[in-house]
Amino acid sequence: MINESAGAPAPIAAGTLRKSSSVASLRSSTSSIIVPEPWFRYDILPSEWDVLWLSTALKLLLFPSYRSTDFEVHRNWLAITHSLPISKWYYDTTSEWTLDYPPFFAYLEKLLSIPASLIDPMIVDLNNLNYDGWSVIGYQRTTVILTELVLGIVLLKFVRGSVEPPIQRIISASIFLHPGFLIVDHIYFQYNGFMYGILLWSILMARNGNKLASGILFAVLLNFKHIYMYLAPAYFVYLLRSFCLSPAGEVQIKNFLSLANAVIAVFVVSLGPFALLGQIPQLLSRLFPFTRGLNHAYWAPNFWALVTAADRVLLKYARLTGADIIINESGVASSSRGLVGDTVFAVLPNVKPIHTFVITIAFQLIWLLKLWRNPTYKSFLTALTLSGWTSFLFGWHVHEKAVLLILIPLSLLAAERHAYFRTFVLASVAGVFSLFPLLFTPTEFVIEVIYSVIWIGAVYTPLSRRVYEYPKSMSYVIMDALEKLYLAGFPFLLIFVTTFPLLQGGVTAHPDISASAAICISSEAFSCPESENWSAQSSREVSALQFLPLMVTSIYCAFGLVWSFLRLGFIYLHEETTYQGQLSEIK
């Protein structure tokens, strides 16, 4: 549920307020002094404990499951931060998995390396590459579970401050149990749950009217992982308009200085040691490797996946028909078929980083102008979601895992009304399915499919009953039918990607292999990675058809995510129900 705080003593849910007992109690609460809740109280309900124990048990059972290259990445970072002085953290090249996250995450790795060294010194041995003893497996997976408790605590606070706790409890549980976290964190291996906990903590502070804390927490988050820069424009506009300026447009000097000094202080703590060492250029070169190609590994399901697919279709058309089309031969065998490297198109004009930047900024300006005019919490949350979505669809070298930047904040809007809910369902199904290729082993594939189906069913049933609306016109009926038809295509897509490798003799491509494949195309700005695990024979075996399941998955999911993006954008720009309208109904 969305709660608005615009100076009122108690948060008010925009888009969900009704003339009911909850609204009546809300009226009465505004006439009394509200004592702020402590950050955390031991008032967890039995059902909430059940969610925690159930999810923890499942995560423990997944300890022996598939481990991606990211598992060794983080083990190596433990070793770097433990074995080397800070002056060498961002220079070390002992492993190919060099440190490329901002300093706060490096500090976290340093902290985690201390107990790791006590449990097993080999974990933090810098030269002990690809160590896979049970000590490191158990330790690293346990740290993900423990750090994810930040997310759980924040989600409980969302429930406690909600106008309709039962609905918010469903949304909070759906986020904590999200298939994206299970796939990316607890099998593939990353720390997204922890960092999204910080993001949601920042959003919670905005909901509660504590905008200074919201800005500080977001600054902290940026220094844990720089991918959250995708959301920074929405934060900048919202905090500037609603915290640093008065409703009349006058600058609130005290608020502006408080926010500016707090954010600067966060960056000084993070970057200060490296600035003193004169290493900021080196650090930035690690964080922003622009020499990588347009598409990451296998295509993220975004706009550029559709463009890349269109280029392949045009290439096939030109060859079959002999049409008079200029073909760029270097693009015929381009790494755009699922490998890391420069994406070179065979028919269409090549895309450069500046092109993606201009398109991204142009779309974001649309949402930011609306946010500037209507700087309420709900408007901020929607603009935040759309800002991340815009960067995902049009950004340069977007990781497929970045789809969580869309799905997590969008979950908070799911119960607003039917239009938001339908967008949430479409984006969730497409976004979660797009993560399936990360896990290519049979056991994990079965787990992720079954778990995701159960999750979407458990979320869909209660929320759909609450927000269902009859179609208002024939156009709504047609759109509803087409969206259902699209969703119905996912079981067939699943059958295809499952059976196709069997028809090809069991040889298929997957992201971890494609990320270091020897048939990568080099350019002046990019050198292909080397891998001992990828032999010349394996290189010759890979054909274009082996990337077909990845390509089809990316394209099909991209259609759903692009459509959902346009859907939410339309809803946001044409939103008829505003916060002030809700208040006038109460009065």
Side-chain angles (χ1 to χ4, degrees):
M1 299 304 303
I2 300 298
N3 286 333
E4 289 285 358
S5 288
I12 301 174
T16 60
L17 296 179
R18 295 179 176 81
K19 294 179 180 179
S20 61
S21 58
S22 63
V23 175
S25 63
L26 184 61
R27 286 185 183 132
S28 63
S29 69
T30 60
S31 62
S32 59
I33 297 175
I34 304 299
V35 179
E37 289 187 46
W39 171 247
F40 182 71
R41 298 182 305 176
Y42 190 80
D43 59 352
I44 303 177
L45 301 178
S47 60
E48 294 165 345
W49 279 116
D50 291 342
V51 169
L52 176 62
W53 299 133
L54 177 63
S55 64
T56 302
L58 176 60
K59 294 163 189 174
L60 290 173
L61 291 173
L62 290 173
F63 271 27
S65 61
Y66 164 76
R67 302 185 305 277
S68 73
T69 53
D70 276 10
F71 197 89
E72 169 61 15
V73 167
H74 287 277
R75 189 216 60 81
N76 186 59
W77 292 357
L78 289 175
I80 289 174
T81 55
H82 184 82
S83 305
L84 299 176
I86 191 172
S87 60
K88 296 183 179 179
W89 285 3
Y90 287 96
Y91 281 93
D92 179 72
T93 56
T94 304
S95 167
E96 63 180 311
W97 311 120
T98 54
L99 182 60
D100 59 4
Y101 272 26
F104 274 1
F105 201 92
Y107 301 155
L108 174 65
E109 294 280 8
K110 173 66 175 180
L111 183 64
L112 295 176
S113 74
I114 297 172
S117 65
L118 300 175
I119 293 172
D120 182 357
M122 296 182 69
I123 296 176
V124 293
D125 184 343
L126 191 60
N127 297 306
N128 191 23
L129 303 181
N130 299 310
Y131 181 49
D132 60 354
W134 268 106
S135 58
V136 66
I137 294 171
Y139 179 73
Q140 289 195 213
R141 292 210 183 276
T142 299
T143 60
V144 174
I145 294 175
L146 292 178
T147 55
E148 197 177 52
L149 292 177
V150 173
L151 174 65
I153 294 171
V154 172
L155 290 171
L156 285 177
K157 297 300 292 184
F158 265 99
V159 175
R160 300 301 181 264
S162 175
V163 172
E164 294 186 70
I167 297 299
Q168 182 60 54
R169 188 169 289 110
I170 294 171
I171 294 173
S172 292
S174 73
I175 293 175
F176 191 73
L177 300 173
H178 203 283
F181 291 143
L182 187 80
I183 294 170
V184 179
D185 283 8
H186 299 284
I187 301 179
Y188 191 85
F189 193 82
Q190 286 189 354
Y191 289 89
N192 289 284
F194 165 68
M195 288 182 285
Y196 278 96
I198 300 175
L199 173 63
L200 291 177
W201 190 359
S202 174
I203 293 173
L204 176 66
M205 290 297 99
R207 189 196 74 173
N208 293 346
N210 193 344
K211 294 165 187 174
L212 177 60
S214 177
I216 294 173
L217 284 167
F218 184 69
V220 169
L221 180 62
L222 285 177
N223 284 279
F224 269 103
K225 193 170 184 179
H226 50 301
I227 194 175
Y228 295 99
M229 290 181 63
Y230 291 169
L231 309 179
Y235 267 95
F236 176 80
V237 170
Y238 176 64
L239 294 176
L240 177 63
R241 183 67 178 86
S242 66
F243 183 69
C244 298
L245 299 180
S246 68
E250 298 175 351
V251 178
Q252 305 276 19
I253 299 296
K254 181 181 178 180
N255 288 353
F256 176 80
L257 292 178
S258 297
L259 181 61
N261 290 333
V263 170
I264 290 172
V266 170
F267 278 88
V268 167
V269 172
S270 173
L271 303 175
F274 302 96
L276 293 175
L277 292 168
Q279 294 184 1
I280 295 299
Q282 172 65 17
L283 192 153
L284 293 177
S285 70
R286 286 284 182 89
L287 299 185
F288 303 101
F290 287 113
T291 55
R292 295 176 180 177
L294 175 66
N295 297 323
H296 171 258
Y298 84 86
W299 310 344
N302 61 8
F303 178 75
W304 303 121
L306 300 179
V307 172
T308 308
D311 180 74
R312 292 290 147 186
V313 171
L314 290 173
L315 175 62
K316 288 289 184 182
Y317 171 79
R319 286 184 163 179
L320 290 174
T321 63
D324 187 17
I325 298 177
I326 299 175
I327 297 177
N328 181 357
E329 291 299 330
S330 62
V332 174
S334 170
S335 57
S336 61
R337 289 182 295 170
L339 307 176
V340 172
D342 285 343
T343 299
V344 180
F345 292 142
V347 177
L348 297 176
N350 288 322
V351 177
K352 299 183 181 299
I354 187 62
H355 300 147
T356 64
F357 178 78
V358 170
I359 295 173
T360 300
I361 292 299
F363 269 98
Q364 285 190 340
L365 283 175
I366 299 173
W367 326 127
L368 298 179
L369 287 173
K370 173 67 181 289
L371 177 59
W372 181 268
R373 293 196 300 267
N374 185 36
T376 63
Y377 168 69
K378 180 185 174 183
S379 179
F380 163 64
L381 182 55
T382 311
L384 182 76
T385 305
L386 286 167
S387 291
W389 213 328
T390 300
S391 298
F392 178 83
L393 290 182
F394 303 106
W396 178 265
H397 196 75
V398 175
H399 290 233
E400 58 279 358
K401 298 179 286 293
V403 74
L404 292 174
L405 276 173
I406 301 168
L407 303 184
I408 301 307
L410 182 61
S411 299
L412 297 175
L413 293 164
E416 280 301 289
R417 56 189 180 88
H418 186 260
Y420 287 96
F421 173 71
R422 194 57 173 269
T423 305
F424 162 77
V425 171
L426 288 166
S428 295
V429 174
V432 170
F433 197 101
S434 72
L435 294 173
F436 284 1
L438 289 174
L439 308 178
F440 57 90
T441 49
T443 302
E444 285 74 17
F445 187 79
V446 171
I447 291 172
E448 68 182 353
V449 170
I450 294 176
Y451 183 87
S452 300
V453 170
I454 294 174
W455 178 84
I456 193 65
V459 175
Y460 181 87
T461 301
L463 294 186
S464 62
R465 291 173 180 171
R466 181 190 181 282
V467 300
Y468 180 77
E469 298 175 6
Y470 288 103
K472 300 176 182 179
S473 65
M474 182 56 64
S475 61
Y476 280 87
V477 173
I478 296 173
M479 185 171 67
D480 180 75
L482 292 175
E483 290 174 348
K484 288 179 178 177
L485 182 64
Y486 174 77
L487 291 173
F490 278 97
F492 297 99
L493 176 60
L494 180 64
I495 293 172
F496 170 75
V497 299
T498 304
T499 58
F500 184 83
L502 300 177
L503 298 176
Q504 293 293 306
V507 180
T508 188
H510 55 80
D512 273 357
I513 288 180
S514 65
S516 58
I519 59 173
C520 162
I521 307 300
S522 298
S523 70
E524 294 181 358
F526 181 83
S527 297
C528 295
E530 297 178 359
S531 174
E532 296 178 359
N533 298 324
W534 185 265
S535 65
Q537 178 62 32
S538 298
S539 175
R540 288 190 295 269
E541 288 176 353
V542 173
S543 67
L545 288 179
Q546 288 175 281
F547 290 103
L548 187 60
L550 295 177
M551 182 187 73
V552 173
T553 298
S554 295
I555 293 172
Y556 196 81
C557 293
F559 276 117
L561 288 170
V562 170
W563 168 248
S564 301
F565 167 75
L566 297 175
R567 206 180 196 283
L568 183 62
F570 180 85
I571 295 168
Y572 182 50
L573 296 177
H574 296 82
E575 183 70 68
E576 296 178 358
T577 304
T578 64
Y579 174 65
Q580 295 300 328
Q582 298 290 349
L583 290 181
S584 64
E585 287 186 14
I586 296 175
K587 295 176 181 178

